Amino acid sequence: EEGGHVGFTACLGDITEKKEAEEELRRERNKLEFVVGAMGAGLALFDENEELQWANNTLREWFDFDERNQAGVLHCWEVYDCLPAEANPEDRHCPHCPLSAAIRTGEPNTGHAERVDDDGVWHYYMQVATPVEFGRDQYLVLTLDVTEQRRQTEQVQIINRLTRALEYTRDVNRVHHLVLTCVTAGHALG
């Protein structure tokens, strides 16, 4: 009255259920992150523009894309570091990208990618891109590190080629050359 404060009105709402639901959601998200991390797989969710929406910690560790992220928005090719920097921005779609194929066809698609990490270690990944719906089209990309299996496959192939070559070679110098070449061929037989 007369310009002075007389009282106040307060409205209180009980948000206990909302907070409990948020806590339950946080627990479930952590559980999912733990399960996906325990299986040793990289997992990412992309939109129809190939922009990253979410990625688990395993994928972040393998590809270390957080440090390369300057603009705040990461595309598939930036996450997996699969295109050279000088590539034309309009043509930044990998020809064998399983995500691009899944977006184009609406069907799951599988691909493979090679990468040398910052320590110079070669890795071979299998990627499976699958369309999913969360109110809008999104794409889940499962990435598995199959480097060891790839190395073993290459070793068996080299041993098979060496065996076939040795069957038909009688020259000792040629045999020594073949064996030394196979044993020292990069990461194959080491």
Side-chain angles (χ1 to χ4, degrees):
E1 294 177 3
E2 299 176 8
H5 187 286
V6 179
F8 64 92
T9 303
C11 179
L12 301 175
D14 185 0
I15 60 168
T16 305
E17 288 181 19
K18 179 183 176 191
K19 288 297 183 183
E20 287 173 349
E22 288 174 355
E23 180 61 26
E24 180 64 24
L25 180 62
R26 187 188 61 74
R27 281 194 300 269
E28 289 300 315
R29 185 176 292 145
N30 289 345
K31 190 187 309 180
L32 176 63
E33 180 73 34
F34 176 76
V35 168
V36 172
M39 61 186 236
L43 199 59
L45 189 64
F46 291 90
D47 67 11
E48 65 277 357
N49 298 317
E50 299 183 12
E51 292 178 359
L52 179 67
Q53 303 298 305
W54 173 86
N56 73 338
N57 290 334
T58 302
L59 193 71
R60 290 178 186 284
E61 289 171 13
W62 285 350
F63 290 92
D64 198 27
F65 50 83
D66 288 326
E67 288 187 16
R68 293 191 309 269
N69 183 10
Q70 303 299 324
V73 174
L74 283 173
H75 291 87
C76 170
W77 58 86
E78 295 165 315
V79 170
Y80 298 108
D81 197 23
C82 58
L83 285 179
E86 66 273 2
N88 185 353
E90 287 82 38
D91 299 329
R92 289 200 179 213
H93 297 282
C94 307
H96 305 292
C97 177
L99 176 60
S100 293
I103 291 171
R104 227 178 17 262
T105 65
E107 298 291 325
N109 200 286
T110 302
H112 299 274
E114 294 183 56
R115 180 173 188 271
V116 177
D117 65 20
D118 293 337
D119 297 325
V121 178
W122 175 80
H123 295 276
Y124 193 78
Y125 298 98
M126 182 176 80
Q127 298 169 316
V128 180
T130 304
V132 293
E133 288 186 33
F134 292 122
R136 63 185 182 132
D137 289 341
Q138 293 190 325
Y139 302 85
L140 191 64
V141 178
L142 173 70
T143 304
L144 301 170
D145 187 344
V146 292
T147 305
E148 197 52 42
Q149 293 89 330
R150 176 63 185 231
R151 279 193 177 114
Q152 291 171 355
T153 301
E154 287 181 5
Q155 288 174 347
V156 168
Q157 290 172 344
I158 288 173
I159 290 170
N160 284 336
R161 282 187 292 213
L162 176 62
T163 302
R164 282 195 305 272
L166 290 176
E167 284 179 32
Y168 301 107
T169 303
R170 303 286 183 234
D171 181 13
V172 174
N173 289 333
R174 177 82 174 133
V175 169
H176 286 156
H177 178 74
L178 286 170
V179 170
L180 287 174
T181 300
C182 289
V183 172
T184 60
H187 63 268
L189 295 179

